[in-house]
């Protein structure tokens, strides 16, 4: 339990990951699936950011009044870079998913993926 | 000759650039650019292969930041062979289905199809060559987006739903992959594969952090298994493969899933080290699911009445073979798995394109009942389907036979229980393959008077005929000259870790 309390950022990140993962996998509504996907990815970013943070240090921007700081005064910059890259990736995937959802909705007037699957099965496949 | 060292990175950048440029081109120019690009990448990778064969493997530093800080590309024999082969398959798939891309996709958007092809090639090359796990993740996502777009490019209800299912399963997979990589980074403090490997070795010696490492390994394996449609995760596959345009089906079945499997090889050999993988019994789990996939995929294929769904379900079985090969946990098994990646790619994309050629002369029917005698109406497509089917069943002189021989050889060197299971599964799966493929071949060669079709006016698209001929030759080449390729894989794998 002690470990869990000390690493509460990571614990929360993993719980969020689980919530997002189940939402993405089990919800029938496309929009809720996309929200789930975003929660899942954000949880990973929280995890990375928490792991990169070192208590009492500052962001690695050697500029301004803090220009005289040493390397030992900065947090690990790599996870921040990873988070930024990851955000870009998840934004683009979200955009693709939303575009797909719009097209599905225009065609079938519902967001429920099970219902859409059913409607599609009834529709004869035409070349 | 030193300029050849730059080719892998140059190729990736070139593909990305061409993808961007294609978006403002017309459909024709975009197609030409795409084909030219794939051809150029093919020849450049042959040069890389020759260079690596002579000079040995090398790592390519990017941005003048040395190893633990900067990003790296690693080029070895295995990577070069796979890259050359992927380019060849991609070129033939695009060429073979080129006629149908124009028919299936709205004119105003067909240049975007080729944008996606370029991005797909970029991501595949990056997955093959990268030495950095996070770069691999980013390109996995690019690959997912491009693959989703390739599926939904043919705009009808079926492909939209197939693309939605594909994207959802893929996102689940890449989420697991991402958190796996995040945990791995936190435990080891590195993202470059070689450095992670060094840390993992130290940790295994001291016995620290074994649980997080196991979790990370499990997450990455499951994530990549979902993305490559290993048996229980195959639900998205049949729809995605069978409703999209033939080029897309060919590329998806033979390259997209294989790119992820190749990444999994890299994770096993270069990141964790095969010893670590064996210690943690990951391969046993993959073996189990691989064997299950071999049988289940074939059984499901038997029940299909739609030609292209049959081929799609056969893919599930073939992915099972590949995982079974990894699961044998001997080096020969991995060689067989890599060889099967190639032989399956060569046969499956040919089958998809040939199936389209056959249904073309049968009033666009895909059901077997409508395909009677199609092999006589479109002879080359019929022969190509025959060769592909025989190759998948495992008739000698064709690619599929050789990979089955390698699997059997590998099984002989594995542990007793695995040997028995693998042999029995191979036998059963071969019989099942024969059941559905031979049935399909018999149907397309049953003489049948087809009234709605005029042989004298029908001309098969030239590009498709050329592509099918090349595919047939490629299959025979893989089947008869397999020693050459197996040798290259062996040397490549020897220096892989």
């Amino acid at each position: 339990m002690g470990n869990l309390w000390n690493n509460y950022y990571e614990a929360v990140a993993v719980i969020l990951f689980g919530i997002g993962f189940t939402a993405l996998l089990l919800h029938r509504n496309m929009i809720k699936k996309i929200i789930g996907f975003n929660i899942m990815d954000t949880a990973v970013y929280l995890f990375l950011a928490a792991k990169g943070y070192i208590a009492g240090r500052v962001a690695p921007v050697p500029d301004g009044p803090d220009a005289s700081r040493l390397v030992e005064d900065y947090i690990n910059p790599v996870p921040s870079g990873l988070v930024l890259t990851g955000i870009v990736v998840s934004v683009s995937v979200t955009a693709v998913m939303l575009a797909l959802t719009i097209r599905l909705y225009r065609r079938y007037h519902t967001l429920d993926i099970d219902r859409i699957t059913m409607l599609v099965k009834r529709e004869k496949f035409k070349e | 000759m030193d300029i050849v060292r730059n080719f892998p990175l140059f190729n990736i950048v070139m593909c990305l650039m061409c993808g961007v440029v294609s978006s403002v081109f017309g459909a024709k120019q975009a197609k030409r650019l795409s084909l030219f690009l794939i051809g150029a990448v093919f020849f450049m990778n042959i040069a890389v292969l020759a260079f690596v064969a002579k000079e040995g493997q090398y790592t390519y530093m990017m941005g003048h930041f040395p190893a633990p800080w900067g990003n790296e590309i690693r080029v070895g024999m295995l990577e070069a062979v796979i890259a050359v082969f992927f380019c060849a398959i991609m070129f033939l798939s695009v060429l073979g289905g080129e006629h149908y891309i124009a028919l299936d996709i709205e004119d105003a958007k067909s240049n975007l199809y080729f944008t996606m092809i370029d991005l797909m090639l970029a991501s595949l090359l990056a997955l093959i060559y990268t030495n950095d796990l996070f770069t691999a993740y980013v390109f996995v996502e690019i690959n997912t987006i491009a693959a989703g777009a390739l599926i939904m490019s043919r705009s009808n209800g079926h492909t939209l739903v197939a693309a939605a299912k594909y994207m959802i399963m893929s996102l689940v997979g890449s989420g697991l992959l991402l958190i796996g990589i995040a945990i791995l980074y936190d435990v080891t403090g590195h993202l470059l594969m070689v450095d992670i490997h060094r840390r993992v070795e130290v940790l295994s010696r001291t016995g620290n952090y074994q649980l997080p490492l196991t979790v990370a390994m499990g997450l990455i394996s499951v994530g990549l298994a979902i993305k490559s449609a290993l048996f229980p995760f195959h639900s998205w596959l049949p729809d995605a493969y069978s409703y999209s345009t033939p080029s897309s089906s060919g590329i998806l079945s033979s390259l997209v899933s294989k790119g992820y499997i190749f990444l999994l090889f890299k994770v096993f050999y270069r990141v964790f080290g095969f010893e670590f993988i064996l210690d943690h019994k990951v391969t046993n789990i993959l073996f189990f699911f691989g064997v299950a996939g071999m049988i289940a995929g074939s059984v499901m294929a038997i029940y299909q009445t739609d030609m292209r769904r049959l081929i799609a379900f056969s893919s599930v079985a073939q992915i099972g073979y590949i995982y079974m090969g990894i699961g044998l946990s001997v080096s020969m098994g991995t060689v067989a798995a890599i060889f099967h990646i190639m032989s399956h790619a060569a046969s499956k994309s040919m089958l998809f394109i040939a199936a389209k050629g056959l249904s073309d002369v049968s009033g666009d029917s895909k059901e077997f009942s409508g395909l009677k005698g199609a092999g006589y109406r479109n002879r080359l497509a019929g022969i190509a389907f025959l060769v592909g089917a025989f190759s998948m069943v495992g008739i000698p002189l064709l690619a599929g036979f050789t990979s089955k021989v390698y699997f059997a050889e590998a099984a002989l060197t594995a542990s007793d229980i695995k040997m028995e299971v693998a042999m029995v599964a191979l036998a059963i799966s071969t019989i099942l393959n024969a059941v559905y493929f031979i049935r399909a071949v018999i149907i397309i060669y049953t003489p049948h008077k087809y009234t709605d079709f005029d042989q004298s006016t029908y001309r098969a698209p030239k590009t498709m005929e050329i592509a099918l001929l090349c595919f047939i030759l490629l299959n025979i080449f893989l089947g008869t000259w397999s020693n050459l390729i197996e040798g290259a894989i062996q040397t490549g794998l020897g220096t892989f870790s």
Side-chain angles (χ1 to χ4, degrees), chain B residues 223-303:
Chain B
L224 288 174
I226 291 178
K227 289 181 85 77
S228 57
L230 180 60
F231 160 60
F233 310 120
H234 67 278
S235 58
W236 57 267
L237 184 146
D239 285 350
Y241 288 6
S242 53
Y243 294 122
S244 44
T245 187
S247 289
S248 300
S249 319
I251 290 170
L252 284 166
S253 65
S254 47
L255 302 181
V256 174
S257 46
K258 308 298 160 54
Y260 300 136
I261 295 177
F262 192 75
L263 183 62
L264 192 65
F265 281 133
K266 287 185 113 162
V267 170
F268 279 3
Y269 275 84
R270 323 252 333 260
V271 177
F272 289 106
F274 212 55
E275 296 292 311
F276 185 87
I277 297 292
L278 292 185
D279 282 347
H280 287 73
K281 313 268 189 278
V282 183
T283 45
N284 295 358
I285 299 167
L286 291 181
F287 180 77
F288 175 76
F289 284 112
V291 169
M294 281 163 70
I295 309 287
S298 307
V299 171
M300 284 183 284
I302 291 178
Y303 288 106

Side-chain angles (χ1 to χ4, degrees), chain B residues 372-410:
Chain B
K372 271 187 194 150
Y376 295 110
R377 296 192 290 275
N378 188 345
R379 283 180 192 281
L380 189 64
I383 292 168
F385 189 85
L386 189 78
V387 171
F390 278 7
S391 163
M392 286 289 94
V393 174
I395 304 287
L397 289 185
L398 296 171
F401 170 74
T402 320
S403 54
K404 274 185 189 161
V405 170
Y406 287 148
F407 277 125
E409 266 178 42

Side-chain angles (χ1 to χ4, degrees), chain A residues 5-53:
Chain A
W5 189 243
N6 287 336
N7 298 316
Y8 62 96
Y9 277 120
E10 288 83 348
V12 169
V14 169
I15 292 169
L16 278 178
F17 185 88
I19 293 172
F21 187 82
T22 23
L24 171 60
L25 203 58
L26 300 180
H27 257 295
R28 294 194 303 187
N29 186 312
M30 284 296 285
I31 298 290
K32 286 185 185 167
K33 272 184 191 293
I34 297 171
I35 293 173
F37 161 71
N38 275 292
I39 294 175
M40 184 176 86
D41 268 13
T42 312
V44 181
Y45 308 145
L46 174 62
F47 185 86
L48 276 170
K51 280 294 178 194
Y53 181 69

Side-chain angles (χ1 to χ4, degrees), chain B residues 179-198:
Chain B
I179 189 117
I181 292 174
I183 293 175
L184 198 57
Y185 172 71
D186 296 329
V187 176
T188 60
H190 286 287
L191 283 169
L192 284 179
M193 296 183 180
V194 187
D195 296 310
I196 297 179
H197 184 55
R198 224 169 279 144

